[in-house]
mmCIF file of all heavy atoms in Angstrom:
data_model
loop_
_atom_site.group_PDB
_atom_site.id
_atom_site.type_symbol
_atom_site.label_atom_id
_atom_site.label_comp_id
_atom_site.label_asym_id
_atom_site.label_seq_id
_atom_site.Cartn_x
_atom_site.Cartn_y
_atom_site.Cartn_z
ATOM 1 N N SER A 1182 -9.290 -5.468 8.084
ATOM 2 C CA SER A 1182 -10.265 -5.405 7.000
ATOM 3 C C SER A 1182 -11.633 -5.640 7.614
ATOM 4 O O SER A 1182 -11.751 -6.213 8.712
ATOM 5 C CB SER A 1182 -9.971 -6.457 5.926
ATOM 6 O OG SER A 1182 -10.013 -7.758 6.475
ATOM 7 N N ALA A 1183 -12.679 -5.195 6.901
ATOM 8 C CA ALA A 1183 -14.035 -5.439 7.392
ATOM 9 C C ALA A 1183 -14.505 -6.827 6.977
ATOM 10 O O ALA A 1183 -15.007 -7.603 7.788
ATOM 11 C CB ALA A 1183 -14.986 -4.364 6.874
ATOM 12 N N GLY A 1184 -14.357 -7.158 5.696
ATOM 13 C CA GLY A 1184 -14.712 -8.480 5.224
ATOM 14 C C GLY A 1184 -13.605 -9.470 5.529
ATOM 15 O O GLY A 1184 -12.427 -9.188 5.327
ATOM 16 N N THR A 1201 -10.993 -10.496 15.602
ATOM 17 C CA THR A 1201 -11.770 -9.277 15.379
ATOM 18 C C THR A 1201 -11.421 -8.705 14.013
ATOM 19 O O THR A 1201 -10.378 -9.015 13.441
ATOM 20 C CB THR A 1201 -11.493 -8.217 16.462
ATOM 21 O OG1 THR A 1201 -10.106 -7.860 16.424
ATOM 22 C CG2 THR A 1201 -11.853 -8.731 17.843
ATOM 23 N N ASN A 1202 -12.321 -7.866 13.499
ATOM 24 C CA ASN A 1202 -12.010 -7.128 12.268
ATOM 25 C C ASN A 1202 -11.971 -5.636 12.583
ATOM 26 O O ASN A 1202 -12.071 -5.231 13.735
ATOM 27 C CB ASN A 1202 -13.022 -7.451 11.159
ATOM 28 C CG ASN A 1202 -14.422 -6.930 11.462
ATOM 29 O OD1 ASN A 1202 -14.674 -6.311 12.498
ATOM 30 N ND2 ASN A 1202 -15.356 -7.189 10.568
ATOM 31 N N ASN A 1203 -11.823 -4.826 11.548
ATOM 32 C CA ASN A 1203 -11.723 -3.380 11.793
ATOM 33 C C ASN A 1203 -13.005 -2.658 11.405
ATOM 34 O O ASN A 1203 -12.982 -1.529 10.933
ATOM 35 C CB ASN A 1203 -10.508 -2.776 11.079
ATOM 36 C CG ASN A 1203 -10.675 -2.718 9.567
ATOM 37 O OD1 ASN A 1203 -11.585 -3.323 9.010
ATOM 38 N ND2 ASN A 1203 -9.806 -1.978 8.891
ATOM 39 N N SER A 1204 -14.133 -3.324 11.633
ATOM 40 C CA SER A 1204 -15.422 -2.716 11.338
ATOM 41 C C SER A 1204 -15.532 -1.349 12.013
ATOM 42 O O SER A 1204 -15.234 -1.204 13.197
ATOM 43 C CB SER A 1204 -16.543 -3.638 11.823
ATOM 44 O OG SER A 1204 -17.793 -3.119 11.503
ATOM 45 N N GLY A 1205 -15.962 -0.372 11.258
ATOM 46 C CA GLY A 1205 -16.042 1.014 11.733
ATOM 47 C C GLY A 1205 -15.012 1.895 11.077
ATOM 48 O O GLY A 1205 -15.213 3.104 10.953
ATOM 49 N N THR A 1206 -13.916 1.276 10.633
ATOM 50 C CA THR A 1206 -12.861 2.041 9.975
ATOM 51 C C THR A 1206 -13.350 2.679 8.678
ATOM 52 O O THR A 1206 -13.020 3.828 8.368
ATOM 53 C CB THR A 1206 -11.659 1.120 9.672
ATOM 54 O OG1 THR A 1206 -11.157 0.599 10.903
ATOM 55 C CG2 THR A 1206 -10.560 1.881 8.964
ATOM 56 N N HIS A 1207 -14.168 1.927 7.938
ATOM 57 C CA HIS A 1207 -14.529 2.360 6.597
ATOM 58 C C HIS A 1207 -15.821 3.180 6.526
ATOM 59 O O HIS A 1207 -16.152 3.708 5.465
ATOM 60 C CB HIS A 1207 -14.711 1.135 5.698
ATOM 61 C CG HIS A 1207 -13.463 0.318 5.535
ATOM 62 N ND1 HIS A 1207 -13.240 -0.831 6.262
ATOM 63 C CD2 HIS A 1207 -12.380 0.497 4.755
ATOM 64 C CE1 HIS A 1207 -12.065 -1.338 5.914
ATOM 65 N NE2 HIS A 1207 -11.521 -0.560 5.016
ATOM 66 N N ALA A 1208 -16.540 3.272 7.620
ATOM 67 C CA ALA A 1208 -17.879 3.838 7.568
ATOM 68 C C ALA A 1208 -17.947 5.269 7.020
ATOM 69 O O ALA A 1208 -18.787 5.559 6.162
ATOM 70 C CB ALA A 1208 -18.526 3.763 8.950
ATOM 71 N N PRO A 1209 -17.106 6.197 7.465
ATOM 72 C CA PRO A 1209 -17.246 7.572 6.958
ATOM 73 C C PRO A 1209 -17.062 7.685 5.446
ATOM 74 O O PRO A 1209 -17.859 8.342 4.759
ATOM 75 C CB PRO A 1209 -16.158 8.339 7.720
ATOM 76 C CG PRO A 1209 -15.926 7.543 8.957
ATOM 77 C CD PRO A 1209 -16.079 6.122 8.532
ATOM 78 N N LYS A 1210 -16.027 7.032 4.911
ATOM 79 C CA LYS A 1210 -15.786 7.116 3.474
ATOM 80 C C LYS A 1210 -16.851 6.358 2.700
ATOM 81 O O LYS A 1210 -17.300 6.807 1.625
ATOM 82 C CB LYS A 1210 -14.401 6.542 3.150
ATOM 83 C CG LYS A 1210 -13.997 6.678 1.685
ATOM 84 C CD LYS A 1210 -13.886 8.129 1.263
ATOM 85 C CE LYS A 1210 -13.055 8.313 0.002
ATOM 86 N NZ LYS A 1210 -13.509 7.551 -1.145
ATOM 87 N N ALA A 1211 -17.294 5.209 3.219
ATOM 88 C CA ALA A 1211 -18.328 4.434 2.546
ATOM 89 C C ALA A 1211 -19.616 5.234 2.432
ATOM 90 O O ALA A 1211 -20.293 5.212 1.386
ATOM 91 C CB ALA A 1211 -18.580 3.133 3.290
ATOM 92 N N ALA A 1212 -19.967 5.962 3.491
ATOM 93 C CA ALA A 1212 -21.196 6.760 3.452
ATOM 94 C C ALA A 1212 -21.110 7.842 2.381
ATOM 95 O O ALA A 1212 -22.077 8.085 1.646
ATOM 96 C CB ALA A 1212 -21.452 7.384 4.820
ATOM 97 N N GLU A 1213 -19.954 8.493 2.276
ATOM 98 C CA GLU A 1213 -19.784 9.499 1.219
ATOM 99 C C GLU A 1213 -19.914 8.872 -0.165
ATOM 100 O O GLU A 1213 -20.549 9.436 -1.067
ATOM 101 C CB GLU A 1213 -18.418 10.174 1.345
ATOM 102 C CG GLU A 1213 -18.297 11.122 2.514
ATOM 103 C CD GLU A 1213 -17.000 11.913 2.492
ATOM 104 O OE1 GLU A 1213 -16.203 11.741 1.535
ATOM 105 O OE2 GLU A 1213 -16.776 12.714 3.417
ATOM 106 N N SER A 1214 -19.326 7.700 -0.342
ATOM 107 C CA SER A 1214 -19.375 7.036 -1.640
ATOM 108 C C SER A 1214 -20.795 6.623 -1.997
ATOM 109 O O SER A 1214 -21.215 6.732 -3.156
ATOM 110 C CB SER A 1214 -18.457 5.810 -1.646
ATOM 111 O OG SER A 1214 -17.108 6.180 -1.528
ATOM 112 N N VAL A 1215 -21.546 6.145 -1.012
ATOM 113 C CA VAL A 1215 -22.926 5.737 -1.280
ATOM 114 C C VAL A 1215 -23.787 6.938 -1.654
ATOM 115 O O VAL A 1215 -24.563 6.894 -2.612
ATOM 116 C CB VAL A 1215 -23.514 4.999 -0.063
ATOM 117 C CG1 VAL A 1215 -25.027 4.883 -0.180
ATOM 118 C CG2 VAL A 1215 -22.888 3.610 0.051
ATOM 119 N N ILE A 1253 -31.199 -0.694 1.710
ATOM 120 C CA ILE A 1253 -29.804 -1.022 2.016
ATOM 121 C C ILE A 1253 -29.743 -2.452 2.533
ATOM 122 O O ILE A 1253 -30.357 -2.778 3.559
ATOM 123 C CB ILE A 1253 -29.210 -0.059 3.054
ATOM 124 C CG1 ILE A 1253 -29.221 1.381 2.520
ATOM 125 C CG2 ILE A 1253 -27.791 -0.472 3.415
ATOM 126 C CD1 ILE A 1253 -28.635 2.397 3.487
ATOM 127 N N LEU A 1254 -29.017 -3.288 1.823
ATOM 128 C CA LEU A 1254 -28.803 -4.663 2.252
ATOM 129 C C LEU A 1254 -27.528 -4.707 3.082
ATOM 130 O O LEU A 1254 -26.435 -4.497 2.569
ATOM 131 C CB LEU A 1254 -28.678 -5.574 1.025
ATOM 132 C CG LEU A 1254 -28.344 -7.044 1.306
ATOM 133 C CD1 LEU A 1254 -29.452 -7.709 2.108
ATOM 134 C CD2 LEU A 1254 -28.094 -7.797 0.016
ATOM 135 N N GLY A 1255 -27.699 -4.957 4.378
ATOM 136 C CA GLY A 1255 -26.555 -4.970 5.280
ATOM 137 C C GLY A 1255 -26.513 -3.722 6.128
ATOM 138 O O GLY A 1255 -26.316 -2.624 5.604
ATOM 139 N N LEU A 1256 -26.701 -3.874 7.434
ATOM 140 C CA LEU A 1256 -26.703 -2.724 8.334
ATOM 141 C C LEU A 1256 -25.570 -2.831 9.350
ATOM 142 O O LEU A 1256 -25.769 -2.668 10.555
ATOM 143 C CB LEU A 1256 -28.050 -2.585 9.043
ATOM 144 C CG LEU A 1256 -29.212 -2.066 8.184
ATOM 145 C CD1 LEU A 1256 -30.476 -1.954 9.025
ATOM 146 C CD2 LEU A 1256 -28.879 -0.726 7.541
ATOM 147 N N GLY A 1257 -24.390 -3.099 8.832
ATOM 148 C CA GLY A 1257 -23.203 -2.952 9.663
ATOM 149 C C GLY A 1257 -22.834 -1.489 9.742
ATOM 150 O O GLY A 1257 -23.651 -0.601 9.446
ATOM 151 N N ASN A 1258 -21.610 -1.212 10.116
ATOM 152 C CA ASN A 1258 -21.191 0.187 10.250
ATOM 153 C C ASN A 1258 -21.313 0.958 8.942
ATOM 154 O O ASN A 1258 -21.757 2.115 8.932
ATOM 155 C CB ASN A 1258 -19.746 0.242 10.758
ATOM 156 C CG ASN A 1258 -19.652 -0.059 12.242
ATOM 157 O OD1 ASN A 1258 -20.101 0.720 13.079
ATOM 158 N ND2 ASN A 1258 -19.093 -1.200 12.582
ATOM 159 N N MET A 1259 -20.932 0.338 7.831
ATOM 160 C CA MET A 1259 -21.012 1.041 6.548
ATOM 161 C C MET A 1259 -22.460 1.266 6.137
ATOM 162 O O MET A 1259 -22.818 2.357 5.666
ATOM 163 C CB MET A 1259 -20.262 0.255 5.465
ATOM 164 C CG MET A 1259 -18.775 0.192 5.668
ATOM 165 S SD MET A 1259 -17.842 -0.337 4.204
ATOM 166 C CE MET A 1259 -18.578 -1.923 3.871
ATOM 167 N N GLY A 1260 -23.301 0.241 6.296
ATOM 168 C CA GLY A 1260 -24.703 0.379 5.917
ATOM 169 C C GLY A 1260 -25.430 1.409 6.749
ATOM 170 O O GLY A 1260 -26.204 2.213 6.225
ATOM 171 N N ARG A 1261 -25.169 1.417 8.049
ATOM 172 C CA ARG A 1261 -25.866 2.363 8.921
ATOM 173 C C ARG A 1261 -25.380 3.790 8.689
ATOM 174 O O ARG A 1261 -26.177 4.738 8.699
ATOM 175 C CB ARG A 1261 -25.683 1.954 10.377
ATOM 176 C CG ARG A 1261 -26.346 0.615 10.697
ATOM 177 C CD ARG A 1261 -26.178 0.232 12.143
ATOM 178 N NE ARG A 1261 -26.948 1.119 13.006
ATOM 179 C CZ ARG A 1261 -26.826 1.142 14.327
ATOM 180 N NH1 ARG A 1261 -25.933 0.371 14.930
ATOM 181 N NH2 ARG A 1261 -27.563 1.952 15.053
ATOM 182 N N ALA A 1262 -24.070 3.965 8.483
ATOM 183 C CA ALA A 1262 -23.567 5.305 8.180
ATOM 184 C C ALA A 1262 -24.160 5.814 6.875
ATOM 185 O O ALA A 1262 -24.519 6.993 6.752
ATOM 186 C CB ALA A 1262 -22.039 5.282 8.098
ATOM 187 N N SER A 1263 -24.289 4.935 5.899
ATOM 188 C CA SER A 1263 -24.902 5.318 4.620
ATOM 189 C C SER A 1263 -26.369 5.678 4.810
ATOM 190 O O SER A 1263 -26.859 6.638 4.215
ATOM 191 C CB SER A 1263 -24.770 4.163 3.617
ATOM 192 O OG SER A 1263 -23.415 3.858 3.365
ATOM 193 N N ALA A 1264 -27.060 4.915 5.652
ATOM 194 C CA ALA A 1264 -28.476 5.202 5.911
ATOM 195 C C ALA A 1264 -28.653 6.589 6.525
ATOM 196 O O ALA A 1264 -29.528 7.357 6.114
ATOM 197 C CB ALA A 1264 -29.051 4.128 6.834
ATOM 198 N N ARG A 1265 -27.810 6.912 7.493
ATOM 199 C CA ARG A 1265 -27.922 8.234 8.131
ATOM 200 C C ARG A 1265 -27.672 9.347 7.118
ATOM 201 O O ARG A 1265 -28.383 10.368 7.104
ATOM 202 C CB ARG A 1265 -26.940 8.338 9.298
ATOM 203 C CG ARG A 1265 -27.272 7.443 10.474
ATOM 204 C CD ARG A 1265 -26.426 7.784 11.689
ATOM 205 N NE ARG A 1265 -25.022 7.474 11.488
ATOM 206 C CZ ARG A 1265 -24.460 6.313 11.777
ATOM 207 N NH1 ARG A 1265 -25.186 5.330 12.277
ATOM 208 N NH2 ARG A 1265 -23.164 6.114 11.598
ATOM 209 N N ALA A 1266 -26.660 9.156 6.284
ATOM 210 C CA ALA A 1266 -26.340 10.190 5.303
ATOM 211 C C ALA A 1266 -27.456 10.354 4.277
ATOM 212 O O ALA A 1266 -27.804 11.478 3.888
ATOM 213 C CB ALA A 1266 -25.023 9.837 4.605
ATOM 214 N N LEU A 1267 -28.040 9.262 3.830
ATOM 215 C CA LEU A 1267 -29.121 9.332 2.839
ATOM 216 C C LEU A 1267 -30.377 9.955 3.437
ATOM 217 O O LEU A 1267 -31.055 10.757 2.784
ATOM 218 C CB LEU A 1267 -29.423 7.931 2.308
ATOM 219 C CG LEU A 1267 -28.336 7.311 1.420
ATOM 220 C CD1 LEU A 1267 -28.619 5.837 1.193
ATOM 221 C CD2 LEU A 1267 -28.231 8.048 0.086
ATOM 222 N N VAL A 1274 -35.299 5.288 3.859
ATOM 223 C CA VAL A 1274 -34.357 4.177 3.857
ATOM 224 C C VAL A 1274 -34.985 2.944 4.496
ATOM 225 O O VAL A 1274 -35.469 2.997 5.628
ATOM 226 C CB VAL A 1274 -33.056 4.545 4.605
ATOM 227 C CG1 VAL A 1274 -32.123 3.333 4.653
ATOM 228 C CG2 VAL A 1274 -32.362 5.722 3.926
ATOM 229 N N VAL A 1277 -32.129 -3.957 5.528
ATOM 230 C CA VAL A 1277 -32.276 -5.413 5.561
ATOM 231 C C VAL A 1277 -31.119 -5.993 6.359
ATOM 232 O O VAL A 1277 -29.950 -5.753 6.040
ATOM 233 C CB VAL A 1277 -32.274 -6.026 4.147
ATOM 234 C CG1 VAL A 1277 -32.474 -7.544 4.220
ATOM 235 C CG2 VAL A 1277 -33.343 -5.392 3.271
ATOM 236 N N ARG A 1278 -31.442 -6.752 7.406
ATOM 237 C CA ARG A 1278 -30.421 -7.413 8.208
ATOM 238 C C ARG A 1278 -31.007 -8.679 8.818
ATOM 239 O O ARG A 1278 -32.204 -8.951 8.680
ATOM 240 C CB ARG A 1278 -29.901 -6.490 9.292
ATOM 241 C CG ARG A 1278 -30.916 -6.165 10.356
ATOM 242 C CD ARG A 1278 -30.312 -5.306 11.453
ATOM 243 N NE ARG A 1278 -31.292 -5.023 12.485
ATOM 244 C CZ ARG A 1278 -31.145 -4.077 13.409
ATOM 245 N NH1 ARG A 1278 -30.058 -3.332 13.402
ATOM 246 N NH2 ARG A 1278 -32.072 -3.871 14.321
ATOM 247 N N ASP A 1284 -34.420 -0.170 14.333
ATOM 248 C CA ASP A 1284 -33.147 0.539 14.232
ATOM 249 C C ASP A 1284 -33.442 1.994 13.913
ATOM 250 O O ASP A 1284 -34.097 2.293 12.911
ATOM 251 C CB ASP A 1284 -32.279 -0.089 13.132
ATOM 252 C CG ASP A 1284 -30.842 0.399 13.187
ATOM 253 O OD1 ASP A 1284 -30.639 1.630 13.231
ATOM 254 O OD2 ASP A 1284 -29.927 -0.437 13.177
ATOM 255 N N ASP A 1286 -31.653 4.202 12.712
ATOM 256 C CA ASP A 1286 -30.975 4.741 11.536
ATOM 257 C C ASP A 1286 -31.741 4.512 10.240
ATOM 258 O O ASP A 1286 -31.348 5.031 9.193
ATOM 259 C CB ASP A 1286 -29.577 4.134 11.408
ATOM 260 C CG ASP A 1286 -28.630 4.665 12.475
ATOM 261 O OD1 ASP A 1286 -28.753 5.852 12.832
ATOM 262 O OD2 ASP A 1286 -27.782 3.895 12.954
ATOM 263 N N VAL A 1287 -32.799 3.709 10.274
ATOM 264 C CA VAL A 1287 -33.584 3.456 9.064
ATOM 265 C C VAL A 1287 -35.056 3.703 9.354
ATOM 266 O O VAL A 1287 -35.485 3.738 10.510
ATOM 267 C CB VAL A 1287 -33.372 2.012 8.548
ATOM 268 C CG1 VAL A 1287 -31.917 1.773 8.177
ATOM 269 C CG2 VAL A 1287 -33.833 0.990 9.573
ATOM 270 N N VAL A 1307 -28.801 -0.468 -2.389
ATOM 271 C CA VAL A 1307 -27.405 -0.352 -1.975
ATOM 272 C C VAL A 1307 -27.020 -1.640 -1.262
ATOM 273 O O VAL A 1307 -27.642 -2.021 -0.264
ATOM 274 C CB VAL A 1307 -27.189 0.851 -1.037
ATOM 275 C CG1 VAL A 1307 -25.766 0.847 -0.482
ATOM 276 C CG2 VAL A 1307 -27.470 2.156 -1.771
ATOM 277 N N VAL A 1308 -26.012 -2.326 -1.761
ATOM 278 C CA VAL A 1308 -25.524 -3.562 -1.152
ATOM 279 C C VAL A 1308 -24.293 -3.226 -0.323
ATOM 280 O O VAL A 1308 -23.280 -2.767 -0.857
ATOM 281 C CB VAL A 1308 -25.185 -4.615 -2.226
ATOM 282 C CG1 VAL A 1308 -24.624 -5.870 -1.572
ATOM 283 C CG2 VAL A 1308 -26.425 -4.950 -3.046
ATOM 284 N N ALA A 1309 -24.400 -3.442 0.983
ATOM 285 C CA ALA A 1309 -23.298 -3.146 1.900
ATOM 286 C C ALA A 1309 -23.068 -4.300 2.861
ATOM 287 O O ALA A 1309 -22.518 -4.107 3.946
ATOM 288 C CB ALA A 1309 -23.585 -1.860 2.677
ATOM 289 N N ALA A 1310 -23.458 -5.500 2.466
ATOM 290 C CA ALA A 1310 -23.372 -6.666 3.333
ATOM 291 C C ALA A 1310 -22.035 -7.382 3.155
ATOM 292 O O ALA A 1310 -21.396 -7.266 2.109
ATOM 293 C CB ALA A 1310 -24.522 -7.626 3.017
ATOM 294 N N PRO A 1311 -21.628 -8.159 4.147
ATOM 295 C CA PRO A 1311 -20.438 -9.003 3.986
ATOM 296 C C PRO A 1311 -20.775 -10.223 3.142
ATOM 297 O O PRO A 1311 -21.954 -10.589 2.993
ATOM 298 C CB PRO A 1311 -20.095 -9.404 5.424
ATOM 299 C CG PRO A 1311 -21.420 -9.397 6.120
ATOM 300 C CD PRO A 1311 -22.209 -8.274 5.502
ATOM 301 N N ILE A 1337 -21.219 -1.841 -2.747
ATOM 302 C CA ILE A 1337 -19.948 -1.590 -2.063
ATOM 303 C C ILE A 1337 -19.629 -2.737 -1.121
ATOM 304 O O ILE A 1337 -18.668 -2.658 -0.360
ATOM 305 C CB ILE A 1337 -19.968 -0.264 -1.275
ATOM 306 C CG1 ILE A 1337 -20.980 -0.334 -0.129
ATOM 307 C CG2 ILE A 1337 -20.239 0.917 -2.181
ATOM 308 C CD1 ILE A 1337 -20.805 0.750 0.912
ATOM 309 N N GLY A 1338 -20.439 -3.819 -1.168
ATOM 310 C CA GLY A 1338 -20.237 -4.955 -0.271
ATOM 311 C C GLY A 1338 -19.227 -5.927 -0.830
ATOM 312 O O GLY A 1338 -18.016 -5.771 -0.655
ATOM 313 N N SER A 1389 -14.288 2.336 -2.771
ATOM 314 C CA SER A 1389 -15.375 3.161 -2.237
ATOM 315 C C SER A 1389 -15.268 3.435 -0.747
ATOM 316 O O SER A 1389 -15.742 4.465 -0.272
ATOM 317 C CB SER A 1389 -16.730 2.505 -2.528
ATOM 318 O OG SER A 1389 -16.835 1.262 -1.860
ATOM 319 N N SER A 1390 -14.669 2.521 0.021
ATOM 320 C CA SER A 1390 -14.697 2.685 1.475
ATOM 321 C C SER A 1390 -13.342 2.959 2.103
ATOM 322 O O SER A 1390 -13.243 3.106 3.317
ATOM 323 C CB SER A 1390 -15.301 1.428 2.121
ATOM 324 O OG SER A 1390 -14.524 0.290 1.822
ATOM 325 N N ARG A 1399 -7.224 4.982 11.820
ATOM 326 C CA ARG A 1399 -8.503 4.723 12.477
ATOM 327 C C ARG A 1399 -8.566 3.265 12.944
ATOM 328 O O ARG A 1399 -9.080 2.964 14.032
ATOM 329 C CB ARG A 1399 -9.655 5.038 11.526
ATOM 330 C CG ARG A 1399 -11.033 5.046 12.192
ATOM 331 C CD ARG A 1399 -12.116 5.444 11.208
ATOM 332 N NE ARG A 1399 -12.052 6.849 10.866
ATOM 333 C CZ ARG A 1399 -11.957 7.319 9.626
ATOM 334 N NH1 ARG A 1399 -11.899 6.495 8.596
ATOM 335 N NH2 ARG A 1399 -11.921 8.624 9.403
ATOM 336 N N ALA A 1400 -8.057 2.343 12.125
ATOM 337 C CA ALA A 1400 -8.039 0.932 12.519
ATOM 338 C C ALA A 1400 -7.189 0.727 13.771
ATOM 339 O O ALA A 1400 -7.536 -0.071 14.651
ATOM 340 C CB ALA A 1400 -7.510 0.074 11.373
ATOM 341 N N ILE A 1403 -9.124 1.876 16.828
ATOM 342 C CA ILE A 1403 -10.075 0.836 17.237
ATOM 343 C C ILE A 1403 -9.340 -0.292 17.955
ATOM 344 O O ILE A 1403 -9.817 -0.839 18.951
ATOM 345 C CB ILE A 1403 -10.856 0.314 16.016
ATOM 346 C CG1 ILE A 1403 -11.765 1.420 15.455
ATOM 347 C CG2 ILE A 1403 -11.698 -0.913 16.387
ATOM 348 C CD1 ILE A 1403 -12.442 1.060 14.157
ATOM 349 N N GLU A 1406 -8.608 0.763 21.457
ATOM 350 C CA GLU A 1406 -9.838 0.690 22.266
ATOM 351 C C GLU A 1406 -10.094 -0.748 22.705
ATOM 352 O O GLU A 1406 -10.453 -1.010 23.856
ATOM 353 C CB GLU A 1406 -11.024 1.220 21.467
ATOM 354 C CG GLU A 1406 -12.349 1.136 22.237
ATOM 355 C CD GLU A 1406 -13.542 1.551 21.403
ATOM 356 O OE1 GLU A 1406 -13.362 2.288 20.412
ATOM 357 O OE2 GLU A 1406 -14.660 1.128 21.751
ATOM 358 N N ASN A 1407 -9.891 -1.689 21.784
ATOM 359 C CA ASN A 1407 -10.094 -3.088 22.132
ATOM 360 C C ASN A 1407 -9.024 -3.596 23.095
ATOM 361 O O ASN A 1407 -9.298 -4.461 23.937
ATOM 362 C CB ASN A 1407 -10.107 -3.945 20.865
ATOM 363 C CG ASN A 1407 -11.518 -4.310 20.437
ATOM 364 O OD1 ASN A 1407 -12.468 -4.168 21.200
ATOM 365 N ND2 ASN A 1407 -11.648 -4.791 19.218
ATOM 366 N N LEU A 1417 -14.588 -7.713 23.663
ATOM 367 C CA LEU A 1417 -14.027 -6.860 22.626
ATOM 368 C C LEU A 1417 -15.102 -6.448 21.625
ATOM 369 O O LEU A 1417 -16.106 -7.125 21.444
ATOM 370 C CB LEU A 1417 -12.901 -7.578 21.883
ATOM 371 C CG LEU A 1417 -11.744 -8.140 22.698
ATOM 372 C CD1 LEU A 1417 -10.644 -8.633 21.768
ATOM 373 C CD2 LEU A 1417 -11.197 -7.100 23.657
ATOM 374 N N ARG A 1418 -14.871 -5.339 20.945
ATOM 375 C CA ARG A 1418 -15.697 -4.934 19.809
ATOM 376 C C ARG A 1418 -15.294 -5.741 18.578
ATOM 377 O O ARG A 1418 -14.163 -6.198 18.449
ATOM 378 C CB ARG A 1418 -15.486 -3.450 19.491
ATOM 379 C CG ARG A 1418 -16.143 -2.470 20.424
ATOM 380 C CD ARG A 1418 -15.847 -1.044 19.965
ATOM 381 N NE ARG A 1418 -16.186 -0.820 18.553
ATOM 382 C CZ ARG A 1418 -15.833 0.268 17.860
ATOM 383 N NH1 ARG A 1418 -15.120 1.208 18.437
ATOM 384 N NH2 ARG A 1418 -16.193 0.406 16.601
ATOM 385 N N ASN A 1419 -16.243 -5.879 17.655
ATOM 386 C CA ASN A 1419 -15.964 -6.435 16.323
ATOM 387 C C ASN A 1419 -15.506 -7.887 16.357
ATOM 388 O O ASN A 1419 -14.762 -8.330 15.483
ATOM 389 C CB ASN A 1419 -14.902 -5.597 15.591
ATOM 390 C CG ASN A 1419 -15.342 -4.174 15.347
ATOM 391 O OD1 ASN A 1419 -16.521 -3.859 15.395
ATOM 392 N ND2 ASN A 1419 -14.386 -3.305 15.085
ATOM 393 N N VAL A 1420 -15.948 -8.641 17.346
ATOM 394 C CA VAL A 1420 -15.588 -10.062 17.392
ATOM 395 C C VAL A 1420 -16.321 -10.811 16.284
ATOM 396 O O VAL A 1420 -17.539 -10.647 16.105
ATOM 397 C CB VAL A 1420 -15.921 -10.671 18.762
ATOM 398 C CG1 VAL A 1420 -15.688 -12.181 18.748
ATOM 399 C CG2 VAL A 1420 -15.073 -10.018 19.845
ATOM 400 N N ILE A 1421 -15.593 -11.622 15.537
ATOM 401 C CA ILE A 1421 -16.163 -12.377 14.428
ATOM 402 C C ILE A 1421 -16.805 -13.665 14.951
ATOM 403 O O ILE A 1421 -16.183 -14.415 15.718
ATOM 404 C CB ILE A 1421 -15.068 -12.727 13.391
ATOM 405 C CG1 ILE A 1421 -14.458 -11.441 12.819
ATOM 406 C CG2 ILE A 1421 -15.635 -13.606 12.281
ATOM 407 C CD1 ILE A 1421 -15.435 -10.550 12.108
ATOM 408 N N TYR A 1427 -18.843 -13.110 10.158
ATOM 409 C CA TYR A 1427 -18.737 -11.655 10.318
ATOM 410 C C TYR A 1427 -19.038 -11.283 11.749
ATOM 411 O O TYR A 1427 -19.466 -12.127 12.530
ATOM 412 C CB TYR A 1427 -19.660 -10.900 9.354
ATOM 413 C CG TYR A 1427 -21.139 -11.100 9.578
ATOM 414 C CD1 TYR A 1427 -21.842 -10.252 10.414
ATOM 415 C CD2 TYR A 1427 -21.836 -12.129 8.951
ATOM 416 C CE1 TYR A 1427 -23.203 -10.410 10.625
ATOM 417 C CE2 TYR A 1427 -23.196 -12.305 9.142
ATOM 418 C CZ TYR A 1427 -23.871 -11.462 9.990
ATOM 419 O OH TYR A 1427 -25.208 -11.644 10.189
#
Side-chain angles (χ1 to χ4, degrees):
S1182 60
T1201 61
N1202 67 0
N1203 71 348
S1204 183
T1206 299
H1207 298 99
K1210 184 63 161 56
E1213 288 188 2
S1214 294
V1215 166
I1253 299 181
L1254 176 63
L1256 286 181
N1258 284 292
M1259 293 195 302
R1261 295 181 69 191
S1263 299
R1265 292 191 293 270
L1267 290 168
V1274 177
V1277 182
R1278 68 177 181 195
D1284 193 309
D1286 288 325
V1287 298
V1307 173
V1308 178
I1337 65 164
S1389 64
S1390 61
R1399 191 177 289 125
I1403 293 173
E1406 178 185 338
N1407 259 345
L1417 305 188
R1418 285 180 53 191
N1419 298 341
V1420 174
I1421 299 299
Y1427 65 91

